Amino acid sequence: MIQKQLHSLLNKASEACTLIQAHIKSKNVIRIISHNDADGLTSACILANAIKESGGRFHITIVPRLQNKFIKKLHKERYKLFIFSDVGSGNISEIKRLKADIIIADHHQIQDENIKFESDDERQLIHVNPHLFGIDGTKEVSASGVCYLTIRDYKYTWLAGLALVGAYGDMQFKHSPQSVNKFILDEGVEHNDLIVEDDLKLSYSHTQPLNKSLTYTYNPNIKGLSGNQDASTKFLEENNIPTDKKLKDLTTEEYNQLKEKLIEINPDIYGKVYKINNIIPELENIEEYSKILDSCGKNKEYTLGLSIGLGKYEHLDQSLELLDKYNSEMQKGIEWIKKEGSIEYDNLQYIFTNDKKRKKVLGAISSIGLDLNIINKDKPVINMMQMDNIIKISSRATDEQVKKGINLGKIMNEASQSFNGTGGGHNIAAGATIPTKEKENFLHLVDEMIEYQIKNHS
């Protein structure tokens, strides 16, 4: 079945590529709007690289959330092709009003499937979304993968690495790549653009000393070491492994000793690692690349993230400094969650903050909190961040909760609309914004909606 579904998705993506080629041939500047996380940044970069390589021009804007008021401003722009990547499938009614050709290359759940998005005599409207073809955009392909398929007719297989960087950023590598992600991986390997090899699955192995690398490795979880730098340092010292060396700099004897001891804690720590071929060492590992871009996005350094994805590495040191600060804030955030915990309702738990630094990492540390059993694994977590007169929300569930029927994308969309807010996303992770005064009402409604979904799941 997946081959048939993939074939249909590829056909739609090819339509989009043909449209892009036509606008490049007409020398039109192509307008790209994308999301601000690792998946959104790589999505924009895949499109931009392909357009640039083909002799075209582009103009990129990165947004933390696509709001209708922003789309209304686009009506004043005179571009002839708009591409929405990693955003758009929740804003079809507003996007289709633009007087131009439009491509939506997204992987989020489509909020109103009854709205038609079809070409007419005056313009082409193309929606490339895996959900339209029975493919799960939560775990089978991210927006960067959709964008890769969208420009695939150009045969720029070297962009397959960026597609997987985005997929990793969207937590689609919890297990081995599957479905469309596997298709992209295989294509990259076939053309020697990607390498798969067995190695220790440690975070930041090219950029951080081992004591920090162990500390920042949360998945797979190294029990007693993940999130605990003092314990990680002590572990290395007790096993005669240099704490200040990077993984790549260990001798064979030191590496084997580390491998043996870590496998004793968690056998999953050693296995398939996915790397980009012919790139600078700091970006070789797709996990590290993804987290570098994510830290750029979280710190609103969008130009920096885009420049890296476009192959300009002059300011890479700046991004690594951001990453170090981001990881430091993550550690502080994990300690905060350990101390404060979450506030529980019958069917959910929530974490609230108005701390400026903590806001940047709250979604990530709540996911880690679930993985490390710091907070209740049996309930979805609703992260609430005070932003002036609104609350920004990110929600997370586990695979087990989704299997019980929970769909956070639908809940965030419908619940936020009840309070004049906006929301949407995936079944396992979604976001929303609501007025501050509706905080308690929103939580009560979401609690009821989660209960309803579980009880009515067949």
Side-chain angles (χ1 to χ4, degrees), residues 30-196:
I30 296 174
R31 188 74 165 95
I32 301 169
I33 296 95
S34 198
H35 192 214
N36 70 337
D37 62 4
D39 191 29
L41 290 169
T42 50
S43 296
C45 288
I46 287 168
L47 295 167
N49 272 301
I51 292 166
K52 179 183 175 184
E53 194 77 10
S54 303
R57 296 175 296 159
F58 56 85
H59 173 195
I60 299 174
T61 297
I62 301 298
V63 295
R65 186 175 297 281
L66 185 61
Q67 297 180 315
N68 285 337
K69 63 181 181 181
F70 172 81
I71 300 171
K72 288 176 182 176
K73 292 179 181 178
L74 297 179
H75 286 272
K76 299 176 183 178
E77 300 184 2
R78 297 302 175 215
Y79 296 95
K80 295 184 178 180
L81 172 61
F82 289 86
I83 305 179
F84 295 86
S85 58
D86 200 26
V87 291
S89 291
N91 308 78
I92 293 174
S93 59
E94 191 63 42
I95 287 173
K96 68 184 295 188
R97 295 192 181 104
L98 293 170
K99 304 299 182 184
D101 290 338
I102 299 164
I103 295 170
I104 297 175
D106 197 3
H107 72 132
H108 294 94
Q109 293 177 105
I110 301 163
Q111 298 304 336
D112 193 342
E113 297 181 6
N114 295 318
I115 299 176
K116 290 186 178 180
F117 191 74
E118 298 174 348
S119 300
D120 52 39
D121 294 337
E122 297 180 359
R123 62 197 178 137
Q124 291 195 58
L125 309 178
I126 301 174
H127 193 183
V128 191
N129 187 309
H131 291 284
L132 291 169
F133 306 98
I135 298 171
D136 189 348
T138 302
K139 57 187 178 182
E140 296 181 54
V141 62
S142 68
S144 55
V146 172
C147 289
Y148 174 79
L149 298 183
T150 296
I151 56 86
R152 182 171 173 267
D153 286 353
Y154 279 117
K155 302 190 185 305
Y156 298 150
T157 56
W158 53 277
L159 293 172
L162 274 178
L164 296 189
V165 168
Y168 190 96
D170 247 36
M171 299 184 289
Q172 295 193 5
F173 271 66
K174 283 185 176 180
H175 310 292
S176 58
Q178 55 185 295
S179 183
V180 184
N181 284 328
K182 181 65 164 56
F183 172 81
I184 295 170
L185 171 65
D186 290 345
E187 193 159 87
V189 170
E190 179 186 350
H191 290 86
N192 203 33
D193 295 304
L194 288 165
I195 299 169
V196 183

Side-chain angles (χ1 to χ4, degrees), residues 210 235-237 239-243 250 254 257-258 261:
L210 274 172
F235 167 83
L236 292 168
E237 290 172 344
N239 288 286
N240 298 315
I241 299 166
T243 62
L250 293 180
E254 289 167 342
Q257 170 76 346
L258 178 62
K261 293 299 179 181

Side-chain angles (χ1 to χ4, degrees), residues 198-236:
D198 289 328
D199 201 350
L200 284 168
K201 294 188 277 188
L202 299 182
S203 295
Y204 314 114
S205 58
H206 280 88
T207 58
Q208 296 290 342
L210 274 172
N211 60 341
K212 288 188 176 181
S213 186
L214 291 175
T215 304
Y216 299 152
T217 300
Y218 304 108
N219 189 12
N221 175 24
I222 313 172
K223 189 173 182 179
L225 305 183
S226 295
N228 191 329
Q229 188 168 328
D230 289 339
S232 295
T233 301
K234 184 179 179 182
F235 167 83
L236 292 168

